[in-house]
Amino acid sequence: MLERISGSLLDPKALYVRDDALFGSEELRGLNLVMGFTGFADAGHVVSQITAELLDTLDGDMIAEFDADQLIDYRTRRPQVSFVEDHVQDYQAPTLALYRLNDGLGNPFLLLAGFEPDLQWERFARAVVGLVEDLDVNLVTWIHSIPMPVPHTRPVGVTVHGNRPDLIEGISAWKPTVEVPSAVGHVLELRLLAAGRNVAGYVIHVPHYLAEAEYPTAAVAGLEYLGAATSLMLPTDRLREAGREVGRQIAEQIAASEEVQQVVSRLESRYDEKAEGTVRRSLLADENDQLPNADDLGAAVEAYLARKEPGE
């Protein structure tokens, strides 16, 4: 009788190659892991900003790389290439890799970042769980972002999930029950929980009217939550400065439109009404203090995804 398993029968280790010299180092054991995948909602380009900032500003090494040709649907997500007068150059090959990085104080941690796989989710999840177990990862954290009816003039909200109450209580007081389109991070969280690993996921709330643009303020909030959970000093200075510039641009656009001013004012009133007398309460409830159902939140995310160009 065949034992029932979840996912592909193919060897998950064949999905990636690794640097055995680095991978075998005892210094990699017991570290915290941060995960971020682009290609899902990524409202405000939060994940892409965070992963780019970590890779651009922190020292480290790639210790494993996944085979993009097995995981990505190129017809759905076309990589970019530059056409310069009479030739092509700078093909931007999709990358999904595991890195060892050092934070601002020299503390090492792991980063799994790149495109969200289109294909072989269960096999990919088995591969990641295997890496986590081989490296005896202490805590897995992952981040993504969704558009929400919240104003940019108030603190960036977050919903936290996982199996670490110490990282959830007091940050995400509301515990909504909804159905939403899944991301590969959700599958990884479920498989890691089943394997008995510590997991905390952070959903950053991005004002819906800013969801399609880069919103550095939300990326800063994401880095702060990840840093607090993992006890790491993660870089935020450049994003803070970019956020101040974006804030000035938003203020100018709002000042030029009375209609937009009214929209923001209504969102502020709703936010303040719900925040009064509460501590870090989630903003997933509607104006009647009811949690959104599957149609409400699912439709909001799907509508945002439908407006995006393929491959973004």
Side-chain angles (χ1 to χ4, degrees), residues 16-78:
Y16 63 87
V17 293
R18 71 187 196 188
D19 185 323
D20 288 329
L22 287 174
F23 200 86
S25 171
E26 285 300 318
E27 296 178 356
L28 291 184
R29 273 39 180 193
L31 301 181
N32 292 322
L33 169 64
V34 174
M35 302 191 302
F37 308 99
T38 59
F40 180 48
D42 200 14
H45 298 255
V46 168
V47 175
S48 57
Q49 289 184 88
I50 286 176
T51 55
E53 193 69 9
L54 294 177
L55 292 172
D56 289 346
T57 63
L58 300 180
D59 295 329
D61 302 286
M62 180 187 293
I63 61 176
E65 183 175 10
F66 285 86
D67 184 358
D69 279 355
Q70 297 189 61
L71 296 174
I72 197 168
D73 178 1
Y74 289 99
R75 297 185 66 179
T76 301
R77 279 194 281 178
R78 304 276 182 171

Side-chain angles (χ1 to χ4, degrees), residues 56-107:
D56 289 346
T57 63
L58 300 180
D59 295 329
D61 302 286
M62 180 187 293
I63 61 176
E65 183 175 10
F66 285 86
D67 184 358
D69 279 355
Q70 297 189 61
L71 296 174
I72 197 168
D73 178 1
Y74 289 99
R75 297 185 66 179
T76 301
R77 279 194 281 178
R78 304 276 182 171
Q80 297 295 303
V81 66
S82 297
F83 183 85
V84 183
E85 296 184 356
D86 59 359
H87 65 281
V88 294
Q89 64 184 41
D90 301 327
Y91 171 65
Q92 299 176 28
T95 302
L96 175 57
L98 179 66
Y99 305 86
R100 177 190 61 85
L101 301 177
N102 296 308
D103 75 352
L105 296 177
N107 298 311

Side-chain angles (χ1 to χ4, degrees), residues 142-183:
W142 71 286
I143 193 158
H144 61 117
S145 56
I146 58 174
M148 294 288 288
V150 294
H152 71 283
T153 53
R154 299 296 185 267
V156 175
V158 65
T159 297
V160 194
H161 44 89
N163 62 350
R164 287 285 301 272
D166 57 318
L167 300 178
I168 298 174
E169 298 301 328
I171 297 178
S172 182
W174 280 107
K175 296 178 175 62
T177 300
V178 296
E179 292 184 7
V180 296
S182 62

